[in-house]
Amino acid sequence: MKKLINHPDNVVRESLEGMAVAHPDLLKINLDPPLIYRADAPILNKVAIISGGGSGHEPLHGGFVGAGMLDAACPGEVFTSPTPDQMLEAAKIVNSGAGVLNIVKNYSGDVMNFELAAELAISEGIRVLNILIDDDVAVKDSLYTQGRRGVGTTLLAEKICGAAAAAGYDLKQLANLCRQVNGNGRSMGMALTSCTPPAKGSPMFDLGEAEIEFGIGIHGEPGRKRICLKSADEITEMLALSILEDSAYSRKVREWDEDKAEWTELEITDPPFQKSDRILAFVNSMGGTPLSELYIVYRKLAQICEQKGLEIVRSLIGPYITSLEMQGCSITLLKMNDELIKFWDAPVKTPALRWGL
Amino acid sequence: MKKLINHPDNVVRESLEGMAVAHPDLLKINLDPPLIYRADAPILNKVAIISGGGSGHEPLHGGFVGAGMLDAACPGEVFTSPTPDQMLEAAKIVNSGAGVLNIVKNYSGDVMNFELAAELAISEGIRVLNILIDDDVAVKDSLYTQGRRGVGTTLLAEKICGAAAAAGYDLKQLANLCRQVNGNGRSMGMALTSCTPPAKGSPMFDLGEAEIEFGIGIHGEPGRKRICLKSADEITEMLALSILEDSAYSRKVREWDEDKAEWTELEITDPPFQKSDRILAFVNSMGGTPLSELYIVYRKLAQICEQKGLEIVRSLIGPYITSLEMQGCSITLLKMNDELIKFWDAPVKTPALRWGL
């Protein structure tokens, strides 16, 4: 295993220590339990937004902590859910009294631990709502998931809800907005190569010299199928059409009902993309794929969107939700409207996403 | 060869086409000859700044075109110098009458072609000065270089000179500033793995399972030595001390003398780093190394700088000058002063570096 690390056990801690000395103007770091939060938290009268999940997907989530985005991030060990005490401690630190929105990627461990943390925080008098991100059209039910996995739409929700929180949205408005963003966003990814988690010391899976994994998860979970290597244009078309031709998606989601003070099941159905939708097009590197290749993917994606009558109104291209050094890419399309565009364009100042501040 | 490409011959062109559709608000793209330039060029009364070099180092240089940084970038084929007609055409497009500063990484092909392009532009009445970046302490004279290679300081010079040009510096002031930034900056890199240029189809070089190349060039040129894999802390210490313990560096540099209208040789000596220097610390990924590992390197680098009595006043961490999917990192340290800090902090709006605008 070739990595710039000291010991597999210390990867997350030492990386956090590096973030702490690199960004003292933006971030404060807790090591026990591991937390990354805004240096100026709590922000008076603002709903706080927390996310978290296994490490190894950097810059997600810690790189998105700062003004206009997340108030705190809870990093687990590599590809391992954070524990409820992390989310509880984060809620205590960043809650200003206006409540906390937890943005939770749909993996069983994350969901369970964020629910438990929410219950603990609520029992201590902190208002908390959890909203699930389940945008990956690749598979329904997978190695670590019931329903669809949460991937690229996560950081789009973090940006948009972060801006809305800064603009004064209250907790219920933010939860509704986050649910809407999740419903508007769909993703699909593929891998050219595997990746090696430090604690495992060997690749997550093996791919032949001429094989790719289509519909890969961000922890190397199996995708839809293993196929022969194809051209960038063919791969882009397969990813884009998987998203654009996906039909309405219905599922039951557990959310906290503040009035009843209990978990309730919502039946949610998100409509498919339609001609003349305005979209944000996000081409993401799984980590090891060069930027030049992402632009080749974006080129074809833009052609497909034009042919389908969709208007790309915003774009994002780069390594934002990664799987360590894995080579490959994912595409996320997010249906936009004036409100979402306004919040996407709003100022943000985090280590990994920054403009206008 | 596993890459998200269509055909090795089309990588640069299709990547440029992707940039064009992704950033129409910031960039215009020429395909023949290949050029990336500011959508609003030329900027009245502003000195234009141009850089360029082989592709494969993205986001350098095209990702740094925009307000507050470069006016144009000239991309060659992967790891191949651009041709003089590219720089000449770029100069014609972005020159507003205030002249053009070419920032040139010290590789023989780049130097020769930028000199030829400058002569052609000057003969057409455009004022042009070329400033060389030769900041890599790893080796003197190498596969493609006489003297030291130009690496990480390049984009720091592009940012600082870009801000100074926006602030009204004239051509001679900018050339002096660029020479100062180059003199203040030193770099050293290492590789955990090789990379595969699309046209070659196989790795640039072979590294054993437990070997690393210390002092690597950004085209896979051999470094100082091939050594056994070490810990991140040990590697960081070797890189940092190579920079910090480097002595004064003297060499002769060719620059254009506008008064004599001829190339002249300058004898330049740059002093070493000293205790209580204020520095910008830049930890760069060679492409395939995860952000979390860069922060582990930064953590140790900050400790070393503190022990040596150097004050880190600014930092930059991420993949900014890459070698395709190569795993590894480089460290660049830049001695700062109030003027350089002011221009570093000034607003910038490019695809890959953006703040304050």
Side-chain angles (χ1 to χ4, degrees):
Chain A
M1 174 176 59
K2 277 180 157 181
K3 290 184 180 293
L4 288 170
I5 64 173
N6 292 305
H7 189 284
D9 292 349
N10 303 336
V11 166
V12 173
R13 185 178 60 77
E14 292 182 351
S15 183
L16 289 177
E17 289 174 356
M19 289 192 83
V21 285
H23 309 292
D25 52 327
L26 295 175
L27 307 179
K28 283 189 181 159
I29 305 281
N30 256 12
L31 292 179
D32 188 23
L35 289 181
I36 301 159
Y37 58 98
R38 277 180 68 161
D40 54 356
I43 312 299
L44 198 65
N45 297 325
K46 191 186 84 69
V47 177
I49 303 184
I50 298 174
S51 193
S55 293
H57 309 300
E58 289 72 21
L60 191 83
H61 299 270
F64 301 130
V65 174
M69 213 158 165
L70 294 178
D71 292 84
C74 307
E77 284 300 310
V78 173
F79 297 168
T80 303
S81 294
T83 51
D85 63 309
Q86 291 175 259
M87 293 76 132
L88 176 62
E89 182 67 17
K92 288 181 184 175
I93 292 173
V94 299
N95 175 44
S96 69
V100 173
L101 177 74
N102 286 328
I103 299 179
V104 185
K105 299 196 301 300
N106 189 32
Y107 299 97
S108 303
D110 289 13
V111 172
M112 189 176 68
N113 290 347
F114 265 106
E115 284 192 4
L116 191 51
E119 288 174 12
L120 293 168
I122 290 165
S123 75
E124 298 197 25
I126 301 174
R127 285 183 68 197
V128 179
L129 293 177
N130 291 1
I131 296 294
L132 223 58
I133 305 293
D134 58 351
D135 62 318
D136 186 347
V137 302
V139 289
K140 200 173 169 193
D141 302 331
S142 109
L143 202 51
Y144 310 114
T145 325
Q146 288 196 310
R148 290 180 170 180
R149 302 175 294 214
V151 287
T153 300
T154 311
L155 68 112
L156 308 182
E158 290 173 2
K159 170 68 186 80
I160 288 166
C161 293
Y169 272 38
D170 69 23
L171 183 56
K172 281 203 174 154
Q173 289 174 310
L174 275 183
N176 289 336
L177 180 67
C178 192
R179 204 183 300 108
Q180 182 195 359
V181 171
N182 181 50
N184 285 11
R186 295 189 188 188
S187 300
M188 180 91 166
M190 56 75 57
L192 291 165
T193 64
S194 183
C195 64
T196 297
K200 185 167 186 284
S202 60
M204 294 283 283
F205 55 91
D206 291 311
L207 269 179
E209 258 313 294
E211 278 183 332
I212 62 176
E213 184 78 27
F214 183 71
I216 190 83
I218 56 171
H219 313 93
E221 308 96 302
R224 273 195 194 173
K225 52 186 173 181
R226 188 159 290 194
I227 55 175
C228 283
L229 179 61
K230 295 177 184 295
S231 72
D233 281 359
E234 289 170 310
I235 289 169
T236 304
E237 188 164 13
M238 288 176 70
L239 293 172
L241 295 186
S242 298
I243 294 170
L244 293 173
E245 294 176 354
D246 186 48
S247 31
Y249 177 50
S250 296
R251 71 283 194 197
K252 287 180 179 161
V253 169
R254 265 164 64 92
E255 288 192 19
W256 183 256
D257 185 316
E258 289 195 304
D259 299 324
K260 295 185 188 160
E262 63 181 29
W263 295 98
T264 53
E265 269 199 346
L266 292 184
E267 172 90 34
I268 294 183
T269 299
D270 296 317
F273 286 96
Q274 289 185 321
K275 204 172 160 170
S276 71
D277 277 349
R278 290 182 294 166
I279 56 170
L280 183 155
F282 169 28
V283 175
N284 175 61
S285 164
M286 301 305 283
T289 279
L291 192 54
S292 50
E293 297 179 25
L294 299 185
Y295 278 111
I296 292 174
V297 170
Y298 187 87
R299 167 186 170 275
K300 181 66 180 178
L301 177 61
Q303 290 169 5
I304 294 167
C305 288
E306 192 179 353
Q307 285 158 10
K308 294 276 178 184
L310 297 154
E311 184 193 0
I312 300 179
V313 293
R314 294 294 183 273
S315 67
L316 184 69
I317 298 149
Y320 292 101
I321 170 169
T322 63
S323 295
L324 297 169
E325 72 282 1
M326 181 184 286
Q327 288 177 40
C329 74
S330 64
I331 290 174
T332 297
L333 300 180
L334 179 67
K335 181 179 168 176
M336 301 293 273
N337 58 35
D338 290 345
E339 181 190 30
L340 302 189
I341 291 172
K342 179 182 76 179
F343 289 134
W344 178 257
D345 289 343
V348 61
K349 188 173 182 179
T350 72
L353 211 63
R354 181 172 170 180
W355 54 72
L357 272 177
Chain B
M1 175 176 58
K2 277 179 156 182
K3 290 184 180 293
L4 288 169
I5 64 173
N6 292 305
H7 190 284
D9 292 348
N10 302 337
V11 166
V12 173
R13 184 177 61 76
E14 291 182 352
S15 184
L16 289 178
E17 288 174 356
M19 289 192 84
V21 286
H23 309 292
D25 51 327
L26 295 175
L27 307 179
K28 283 188 181 160
I29 305 281
N30 256 13
L31 293 179
D32 188 23
L35 288 181
I36 301 159
Y37 59 97
R38 277 180 68 163
D40 54 356
I43 312 299
L44 199 64
N45 297 324
K46 192 185 84 69
V47 177
I49 303 183
I50 298 174
S51 193
S55 293
H57 309 300
E58 289 72 20
L60 190 85
H61 300 272
F64 301 131
V65 174
M69 213 160 165
L70 294 178
D71 293 83
C74 308
E77 284 299 312
V78 173
F79 297 168
T80 303
S81 294
T83 51
D85 62 309
Q86 290 175 261
M87 294 78 134
L88 176 62
E89 182 67 17
K92 288 181 184 176
I93 292 172
V94 299
N95 175 46
S96 70
V100 172
L101 177 74
N102 286 327
I103 299 179
V104 184
K105 299 197 300 300
N106 189 32
Y107 298 97
S108 304
D110 290 13
V111 172
M112 189 176 68
N113 290 347
F114 265 106
E115 285 193 3
L116 191 52
E119 288 173 12
L120 292 169
I122 290 165
S123 74
E124 298 197 25
I126 301 173
R127 284 183 68 197
V128 179
L129 292 176
N130 290 2
I131 296 293
L132 223 59
I133 304 293
D134 57 352
D135 62 318
D136 186 348
V137 303
V139 290
K140 201 177 166 189
D141 302 332
S142 109
L143 202 52
Y144 309 114
T145 325
Q146 288 195 311
R148 290 180 169 179
R149 302 174 294 213
V151 288
T153 301
T154 312
L155 67 113
L156 308 182
E158 290 173 3
K159 170 68 186 79
I160 289 167
C161 294
Y169 273 37
D170 69 23
L171 183 56
K172 280 200 174 157
Q173 289 174 311
L174 274 183
N176 289 336
L177 180 68
C178 193
R179 205 184 297 109
Q180 182 196 358
V181 172
N182 181 49
N184 284 11
R186 295 189 188 189
S187 300
M188 180 90 166
M190 55 76 58
L192 292 165
T193 64
S194 183
C195 64
T196 297
K200 184 167 186 286
S202 60
M204 293 283 284
F205 55 91
D206 290 311
L207 270 178
E209 258 312 295
E211 279 183 330
I212 62 175
E213 184 79 27
F214 183 71
I216 191 82
I218 56 171
H219 314 93
E221 309 96 302
R224 273 195 195 173
K225 51 186 173 183
R226 188 160 291 194
I227 56 174
C228 283
L229 179 61
K230 294 176 184 298
S231 73
D233 281 359
E234 289 169 308
I235 289 169
T236 304
E237 188 164 12
M238 288 176 70
L239 293 173
L241 295 186
S242 298
I243 294 169
L244 292 173
E245 294 176 353
D246 186 47
S247 30
Y249 177 50
S250 296
R251 71 284 193 197
K252 287 179 178 163
V253 169
R254 267 164 64 91
E255 287 193 20
W256 182 256
D257 185 318
E258 289 195 305
D259 299 324
K260 294 184 188 160
E262 63 181 28
W263 294 96
T264 54
E265 268 199 346
L266 292 186
E267 171 89 32
I268 294 183
T269 299
D270 296 316
F273 286 96
Q274 289 186 321
K275 205 173 160 169
S276 73
D277 277 349
R278 291 182 291 168
I279 57 171
L280 183 155
F282 169 28
V283 175
N284 175 62
S285 164
M286 302 304 283
T289 279
L291 192 54
S292 50
E293 297 179 24
L294 299 186
Y295 278 112
I296 291 175
V297 169
Y298 187 87
R299 167 186 170 274
K300 181 67 179 175
L301 176 62
Q303 290 170 3
I304 294 167
C305 288
E306 193 179 352
Q307 284 158 9
K308 294 277 178 184
L310 297 154
E311 185 193 358
I312 299 179
V313 293
R314 294 294 183 274
S315 67
L316 184 69
I317 297 148
Y320 292 102
I321 168 169
T322 62
S323 295
L324 297 168
E325 72 282 2
M326 182 184 286
Q327 288 178 40
C329 75
S330 63
I331 290 174
T332 298
L333 300 180
L334 178 68
K335 182 180 169 177
M336 302 293 273
N337 59 35
D338 291 345
E339 180 190 30
L340 301 189
I341 291 172
K342 179 182 76 179
F343 290 135
W344 179 257
D345 289 344
V348 62
K349 189 174 181 178
T350 71
L353 211 63
R354 180 170 171 183
W355 53 72
L357 272 177

